[in-house]
Amino acid sequence: MAQAAASSGWLRGRVKAAPSGDTLVIMGFTKAEIPPEKTIVLAHLSSPRLARRGGNDDPFAWESREFLRKLCIGKDVVFKTEYTIPNFSREFCSLFVGTTNIAKEVVTHGWAKVKEAKGEVTPEHAELLRLEEQARQQGIGLWNRAPGASAAAIRNLPPSSVGDPSNLDAMGLLAANKGRPMEAIVEQVRDGSSLRVYLLPEFQFVQVFVAGIQAPSMGRRTMAEPTATTEVPSDEPNGETNGEIRGTLTSAQRVTASSAYNEVAPDPYGREAKHFTEIRVLNRDVRIVLEGVDKFSNLIGSVYYPDGEAAKDLALELIENGFAKYVEWSAIMMEDEARRKLKAAELQAKKSKLRLWTNYVPPATNSKAISDSFTGEVVEVVSGDCIIVADDAVPFGSPAAERRVNLSSIRCPKLGNPRRDEKPAPYAREAREFLRTRLIGRQVQVSMEYSRKVPMADGSTAPTGPADTRVMGFGSVFLLSQGKDSEDVSPAPLPAGGQQPGVNVAELIIARGFGAVIRHRDFEERSNYYENLLAAESRATAGRKGIHSSKDPPVMHVMDLLTASAKKAKDFLPFLQRNRRMSAVVEYVLSGHRFKLFVPKETCSIAFSFSGVRCPGREEPYSNEAISLMRWKIMQRDVEIEVETVDRTGTFLGSLWESKTNVAITLLEAGLARLQTSFGTDRIPDAHLLAQAEQFAKRQKLKIWENYVEGEQISNDPAHDRKQKEEFKVMVTEVLGGGKFYVQAVADQKVASIQKQLASLNLKEAPVLGSFSPKKGDIVLAQFTADNSWNRAMIVTAPRGGVQSAKDRFEVFYIDYGNQEVVAYNNLRPLDPSVSSAPGIAQLCSLVYLKVPTLDEDYGQEAAMLLSDTTLNGPKEFRAVIEEKDTSGGKVKGQGTGNVLLVTLIDDESGKSVNAMMLKEGVARLEKRRRWEPKEKQEAMNELEKHQSEAHRQRLGMWEYGDIQSDDDENPPPIKKTGAGKR
């Protein structure tokens, strides 16, 4: 025990307990978690004796103890031993709280008697005798001589329920006091979560187990021999005696007692947990809220103790400091809010590995914390718990602009899948519609919180590899402008103490009863606002809202005409034409000019297309931009439609307005659609406005009109449209020989997006052997030898028997560039979830109408070199006109495999055809003509034949020795590939 002044004999400590009116338990000041303790008796004093359980006190015994308890409990004191008594373990001391002599204070107020001196009377003893005489004369404390005062000062204690539950009607006590704080004084702490208390004012002595938690056991005694002498436990509170001298056990009695019982040691941290509870509640005034009664009639309750002006929850304190565990069996009796706090505190203690959790090993989890915030506009509500937000920081039209956000820690009813005949779960449509009306087109702030790997197919077994899973991002979404819905959510501070930026969308959904909060496992990442979500769920449950209602859920039967026959769609035409205009909701954008609409009045979903307006088809230039524009403008918006007719596929044709704007005009003005009015414009509303919009795009040479020449006649005849050739600007990235090469579309925004994703990765550490075993066909990240850049690649060949060392060789095909090479294992990495898993960007092409020698044929190397020099030197753009498509190649399995585009390649600067140049230099020849070629092809080949004739006449290249008689001429030795490529 720390000494104040060792030479003078004075010691310092803090009062832990006051067992009686003259006895104190004092703790020392040390850094140990359990400091040493000393039980002392105030020198020269004797207080009235407190009753044993079920008996009666001496007069004024309780008041005497209460005076000393309130005067000293929890206070810092200094004390000195004045004398001891042989065979008695306690010391008789003088004690001060500050400058107050406690013995004098007790005697002055009449709450203890002064013992007679057995020898010389010291000045201190004499002073105490004087003060006692003064109190006697004043008739205060023990010396109160008023009639009936002594009898009134004796507690008549009811029988104790400790050890005999029949002495207490536990259920009756619970029924009378459920949820009401009861005043009590803690007399004994059995372990960290088990207390013995006096319930005031009846002084019923009961045992209370702290609700929701369990502290480590303090051990116990087990009887070794049933016939052995039984233990006689102390009846004093906290197992202590008062200041009177008791006899000690003889040696024989101690031997008998030790042989009768076996000691079971306390659990780890059992002593520490008990001490933690003792210094907070032992001999303190507490409030107990009874929560329940177990099957053994034990009381279960929450215990609150004062800490300054505040009241603290003992259970929460024990959990937060790692001295107790959360237990569901008693927590179920508590209110939801209290349970959530305990569970959250235990999780934090586990994360910090506090005390009981020192060796805790977190369970495996498939979630990972992330931190990413952005603002944007909501363009689609996928379901009640998933939305798509267009990031403000990403340019319009970029594939990375639209980000899918799953709402953290909630789950809404599933919408099902009509194609698999899965019907929507109850309230699934209502949840999505609720979010649609409040979020579509509005600005939100998104705070991404965690990602999780999930199996590709619902209900499948555990994933076996990266290809079987996908990564989903989860975050909290806030409406920046608060409206009428703000009353449904509770304003809550951010984890850092700030204010949340707006209405929490997840909390809004839960408060309306359209979803449930996920009960996460320990260490599973969750929403930063998880407590708010649970509180909202409690309110929705209490209000019987949505999925918590006892009423039958609303039922809506929707006729989906997209999956029905064309005849069924035609039967609906009269109903859709009854009113000139009717309301609809855009459910999905199928293409730039074709949509899936829901018509509430007829409760049907239809395919709808603009009359006389067509956008580029899928995989055509500007198709994706048209789709993006429509998604941003009308996706899931309330619109008005006017149906004119239905085509033979069951698609309804007509006009569509959003906010009184004809949406077809928006497409035409952006240069993303063209008019097709060969059938006339009389029946199309706003036909003159559509024509004006198209003329505007033509004059500005926007998008599909970038090559438009003023005055050139462009036919709107559908037959003519079918004959128009598809063309797009490209950059050549790799030349293979034989007239084959790889290109990237210049307008494809995916290239820049993927490069940006790859640049943000930190790929310095090589994979650990065994943790990553790529197989043939897997998509990985590989380091290109020429410039050490990391790129997406397909495994073409892998070592047999798996990876044995870091130097094992893999042949890889770079799917975004068309290069192929052999790299070592340590130059490979798994495909990071942040990198797009979309198909490769590089497209295999071949020069149309030409027969170009392969690399192992005569003039094959010269042909490849000429093609490489022409296309790969410098960042040069070409125009590729697609004449034919060869789809016989099947899936991409490596370099030179997959579908091939047969193109005419035109230099954008000079306007010259690369096909013609190859013929002119004599390194290629025209393919053999067939009868009945289409007129268009005949004209193209006639033009190319002029260049071949010139090379023949000048005896260039393969025409050096005259005519080529056969394709089976002798072949030169194989020549290695040039490896020409562009990165």
Side-chain angles (χ1 to χ4, degrees):
M1 190 169 291
Q3 295 184 356
S7 58
S8 62
W10 289 96
L11 302 176
R12 295 178 61 246
R14 179 169 295 158
V15 177
K16 177 180 178 180
S20 67
D22 58 12
T23 306
L24 296 171
V25 179
I26 302 175
M27 305 180 296
F29 291 131
T30 68
K31 293 183 179 180
E33 195 149 26
I34 304 180
E37 298 177 2
K38 183 186 288 287
T39 302
I40 67 155
V41 180
L42 296 177
H44 310 299
L45 302 187
S46 175
S47 66
R49 181 177 175 276
L50 283 166
R52 298 171 183 267
R53 298 173 198 163
N56 294 329
D57 297 333
D58 287 347
F60 300 104
W62 178 255
E63 289 82 355
S64 173
R65 199 290 290 269
E66 284 298 274
F67 180 82
L68 184 62
R69 180 180 74 85
K70 293 177 180 178
L71 187 63
C72 297
I73 198 75
K75 303 285 182 64
D76 292 344
V77 298
V78 293
F79 62 98
K80 180 176 71 172
T81 301
E82 298 291 345
Y83 59 90
T84 59
I85 295 178
N87 298 323
F88 189 64
S89 61
R90 295 174 188 171
E91 301 172 4
F92 296 83
C93 303
S94 297
L95 182 138
F96 287 80
V97 173
T99 58
T100 303
N101 185 318
I102 298 303
K104 290 183 180 180
E105 196 72 12
V106 170
V107 173
T108 298
H109 288 82
W111 295 118
K113 295 180 180 178
V114 181
K115 296 177 183 177
E116 294 183 1
K118 295 181 180 179
E120 184 180 354
V121 178
T122 64
E124 291 80 6
H125 196 172
E127 177 64 13
L128 292 174
L129 290 169
R130 185 187 69 78
L131 293 172
E132 180 186 45
E133 182 59 30
Q134 181 179 313
R136 190 196 305 269
Q137 291 176 3
Q138 295 175 354
I140 58 176
L142 307 177
W143 315 112
N144 190 338
R145 296 293 179 259
S150 293
I154 300 174
R155 293 182 304 161
N156 186 12
L157 299 177
S160 169
S161 68
V162 177
D164 188 357
S166 63
N167 289 333
L168 175 69
D169 179 10
M171 292 304 297
L173 184 66
L174 174 66
N177 298 278
K178 175 69 173 175
R180 183 177 66 85
M182 302 175 66
E183 302 292 335
I185 294 178
V186 178
E187 291 298 309
Q188 184 181 354
V189 176
R190 291 186 64 243
D191 58 48
S193 58
S194 176
L195 313 176
R196 291 177 177 175
V197 305
Y198 277 126
L199 295 178
L200 302 180
E202 290 83 5
F203 292 103
Q204 177 71 58
F205 193 63
V206 298
Q207 182 160 291
V208 176
F209 293 96
V210 182
I213 68 168
Q214 184 170 348
S217 168
M218 277 296 294
R220 63 187 185 279
R221 286 182 175 182
T222 57
M223 186 174 290
E225 299 175 4
T227 57
T229 305
T230 58
E231 178 189 14
V232 181
S234 167
D235 284 327
E236 291 300 324
N238 208 36
E240 307 291 354
T241 61
N242 65 11
E244 295 182 8
I245 301 173
R246 302 266 198 271
T248 57
L249 291 175
T250 65
S251 299
Q253 287 173 325
R254 284 196 296 270
V255 170
T256 302
S258 64
S259 63
Y261 292 93
N262 293 327
E263 294 284 347
V264 177
D267 292 340
Y269 293 101
R271 297 183 190 277
E272 290 83 352
K274 179 183 178 184
H275 175 73
F276 183 89
T277 299
E278 284 178 337
I279 62 177
R280 283 160 176 77
V281 302
L282 181 58
N283 287 167
R284 312 288 180 110
D285 295 301
V286 297
R287 290 188 175 184
I288 296 175
V289 178
L290 293 181
E291 307 286 2
V293 175
D294 68 10
K295 61 183 179 181
F296 301 108
S297 295
N298 293 309
L299 298 175
I300 314 295
S302 298
V303 179
Y304 301 91
Y305 66 92
D307 183 39
E309 296 297 323
K312 287 198 171 180
D313 183 350
L314 178 62
L316 190 60
E317 291 284 300
L318 284 162
I319 289 275
E320 286 178 339
N321 288 276
F323 284 122
K325 296 181 179 181
Y326 174 86
V327 287
E328 188 68 33
W329 69 267
S330 62
I332 200 71
M333 305 174 184
M334 306 169 67
E335 292 184 355
D336 290 343
E337 182 71 17
R339 292 169 57 193
R340 288 196 296 270
K341 286 183 178 179
L342 292 182
K343 192 66 178 170
E346 183 185 62
L347 178 61
Q348 188 56 47
K350 287 178 177 178
K351 288 181 177 179
S352 304
K353 299 205 169 202
L354 279 177
R355 299 184 174 92
L356 285 176
W357 310 109
T358 301
N359 300 317
Y360 180 75
V361 178
T365 176
N366 61 352
S367 62
K368 176 183 177 183
I370 57 177
S371 180
D372 177 21
S373 297
F374 65 96
T375 58
E377 182 180 311
V378 179
V379 295
E380 183 181 352
V381 175
V382 180
S383 64
D385 52 20
C386 180
I387 65 175
I388 294 177
V389 182
D391 192 344
D392 288 342
V394 182
F396 166 75
S398 169
E402 294 188 5
R403 300 180 61 174
R404 180 180 289 258
V405 181
N406 297 280
L407 299 180
S408 296
S409 298
I410 73 168
R411 183 178 291 116
C412 292
K414 292 185 177 181
L415 282 162
N417 189 329
R419 298 188 183 280
R420 294 203 295 258
D421 202 25
E422 294 176 1
K423 297 188 180 300
Y427 293 101
R429 288 182 182 274
E430 288 75 13
R432 183 175 65 175
E433 181 64 12
F434 176 77
L435 277 195
R436 184 191 72 81
T437 57
R438 283 154 179 79
L439 294 186
I440 284 296
R442 294 182 66 179
Q443 283 289 115
V444 295
Q445 180 168 319
V446 181
S447 176
M448 300 303 293
E449 292 159 335
Y450 62 93
S451 63
R452 193 172 75 227
K453 289 183 178 179
V454 296
M456 289 293 286
D458 293 338
S460 62
T461 56
T464 57
D468 300 322
T469 62
R470 60 190 174 103
V471 177
M472 298 172 64
F474 294 80
S476 292
V477 179
F478 300 94
L479 262 173
L480 296 181
S481 57
Q482 298 188 14
K484 61 181 180 179
D485 297 314
S486 59
E487 63 192 33
D488 289 332
V489 299
S490 55
L494 286 166
Q499 199 67 21
Q500 65 185 37
V503 175
N504 187 336
V505 173
E507 191 176 348
L508 196 59
I509 277 282
I510 295 298
R512 291 298 180 96
F514 291 137
V517 180
I518 297 171
R519 265 50 183 184
H520 292 283
R521 294 176 296 170
D522 287 347
F523 281 83
E524 199 170 51
E525 298 297 335
R526 63 197 67 199
S527 169
N528 292 333
Y529 308 89
Y530 192 68
E531 297 300 318
N532 289 6
L533 298 179
L534 291 171
E537 186 177 48
S538 296
R539 295 196 301 272
T541 303
R544 297 183 177 276
K545 295 182 179 180
I547 62 175
H548 310 292
S549 173
S550 57
K551 299 178 182 178
D552 292 333
V555 178
M556 178 186 290
H557 298 287
V558 178
M559 171 62 72
D560 190 349
L561 297 178
L562 278 80
T563 57
S565 65
K567 183 180 181 303
K568 186 73 172 177
K570 290 177 181 178
D571 293 341
F572 259 78
L573 182 60
F575 301 103
L576 299 177
Q577 287 180 324
R578 279 185 301 191
N579 301 312
R580 289 295 295 169
R581 288 195 184 185
M582 62 172 48
S583 298
V585 178
V586 180
E587 287 194 326
Y588 200 74
V589 176
L590 301 170
S591 70
H593 61 264
R594 190 167 180 265
F595 318 101
K596 180 181 180 181
L597 305 183
F598 171 64
V599 184
K601 188 173 183 180
E602 304 297 337
T603 60
C604 65
S605 293
I606 64 171
F608 181 90
S609 184
F610 295 130
S611 283
V613 177
R614 287 295 175 269
C615 295
R618 286 195 178 271
E619 300 183 1
E620 292 181 1
Y622 303 112
S623 169
N624 290 335
E625 286 196 32
I627 292 173
S628 294
L629 179 62
M630 289 297 94
R631 283 177 62 81
W632 284 32
K633 288 289 184 183
I634 64 170
M635 181 69 180
Q636 291 188 329
R637 307 290 179 97
D638 292 308
V639 297
E640 287 186 315
I641 61 171
E642 190 172 302
V643 176
E644 298 166 15
T645 185
V646 60
D647 67 13
R648 58 195 178 101
T649 66
T651 299
F652 293 89
L653 305 178
S655 300
L656 182 148
W657 292 266
E658 194 273 327
S659 299
K660 299 183 179 179
T661 299
N662 190 319
V663 178
I665 294 176
T666 304
L667 271 175
L668 290 165
E669 282 183 338
L672 293 171
R674 62 172 46 135
L675 278 173
Q676 292 182 336
T677 55
S678 58
F679 51 81
T681 60
D682 296 342
R683 64 184 186 182
I684 301 178
D686 303 332
H688 65 290
L689 297 177
L690 299 180
Q692 289 176 13
E694 185 182 56
Q695 286 302 320
F696 170 80
K698 286 179 179 179
R699 287 194 300 271
Q700 300 294 324
K701 295 192 174 183
L702 299 177
K703 308 299 181 184
I704 65 175
W705 306 111
E706 61 185 341
N707 298 317
Y708 174 72
V709 178
E710 190 70 33
E712 184 178 336
Q713 293 296 319
I714 303 294
S715 170
N716 283 321
D717 178 50
H720 182 275
D721 284 343
R722 284 197 295 271
K723 292 177 183 177
Q724 279 192 330
K725 295 174 183 176
E726 183 182 342
E727 60 179 61
F728 58 108
K729 289 186 177 182
V730 299
M731 289 186 67
V732 179
T733 58
E734 175 75 347
V735 172
L736 306 184
K740 289 188 177 181
F741 53 95
Y742 279 93
V743 300
Q744 287 179 347
V746 173
D748 195 340
Q749 304 267 353
K750 293 179 183 176
V751 179
S753 174
I754 291 174
Q755 286 177 339
K756 183 179 178 181
Q757 291 168 354
L758 291 170
S760 66
L761 299 179
N762 182 8
L763 300 172
K764 292 181 180 179
E765 295 185 8
V768 179
L769 290 178
S771 66
F772 171 52
S773 299
K775 302 182 293 296
K776 183 177 180 180
D778 287 353
I779 304 298
V780 298
L781 295 179
Q783 192 171 28
F784 187 51
T785 305
D787 60 6
N788 292 328
S789 64
W790 289 93
N791 301 277
R792 301 191 304 164
M794 173 188 286
I795 302 294
V796 178
T797 59
R800 290 186 178 181
V803 180
Q804 303 297 324
S805 76
K807 295 182 180 180
D808 283 358
R809 312 292 283 177
F810 289 77
E811 188 171 10
V812 297
F813 168 60
Y814 296 98
I815 61 175
D816 297 327
Y817 294 92
N819 313 85
Q820 186 157 310
E821 66 172 347
V822 176
V823 299
Y825 173 75
N826 55 13
N827 292 112
L828 298 179
R829 300 288 187 274
L831 185 66
D832 192 274
S834 66
V835 179
S836 172
S837 58
I841 296 168
Q843 174 62 56
L844 180 60
C845 298
S846 180
L847 296 174
V848 72
Y849 308 145
L850 302 190
K851 186 170 180 61
V852 183
T854 59
L855 287 172
D856 55 0
E857 294 176 338
D858 287 337
Y859 297 100
Q861 190 171 13
E862 288 83 348
M865 291 303 295
L866 178 61
L867 188 56
S868 297
D869 292 343
T870 305
T871 58
L872 296 178
N873 289 337
K876 208 170 186 180
E877 291 186 3
F878 293 85
R879 186 155 45 94
V881 181
I882 302 174
E883 310 286 354
E884 299 175 17
K885 293 182 182 179
D886 181 1
T887 58
S888 62
K891 290 185 179 180
V892 176
K893 298 180 181 178
Q895 195 176 59
T897 62
N899 297 336
V900 184
L901 299 181
L902 305 177
V903 301
T904 299
L905 195 64
I906 302 171
D907 189 334
D908 238 16
E909 293 180 4
S910 64
K912 294 180 179 179
S913 164
V914 175
N915 305 51
M917 180 202 66
M918 296 287 284
L919 290 170
K920 195 171 182 179
E921 294 296 327
V923 293
R925 59 191 172 106
L926 281 173
E927 65 181 25
K928 188 175 180 181
R929 293 200 184 208
R930 293 186 295 272
R931 292 184 178 183
W932 313 116
E933 295 281 11
K935 183 179 179 182
E936 188 180 0
K937 182 175 179 180
Q938 287 181 18
E939 291 174 355
M941 294 189 72
N942 288 340
E943 188 64 30
L944 290 172
E945 194 164 18
K946 296 176 184 178
H947 301 286
Q948 179 174 280
S949 298
E950 184 179 344
H952 187 195
R953 187 170 59 254
Q954 296 181 14
R955 295 191 178 275
L956 299 177
M958 64 178 61
W959 308 103
E960 180 181 1
Y961 301 109
D963 292 344
I964 301 174
Q965 299 297 327
S966 170
D967 293 342
D968 300 323
D969 293 339
E970 59 180 346
N971 295 326
I975 301 173
K976 292 183 179 179
K977 293 183 180 181
T978 62
K982 180 177 181 180
R983 306 297 295 190

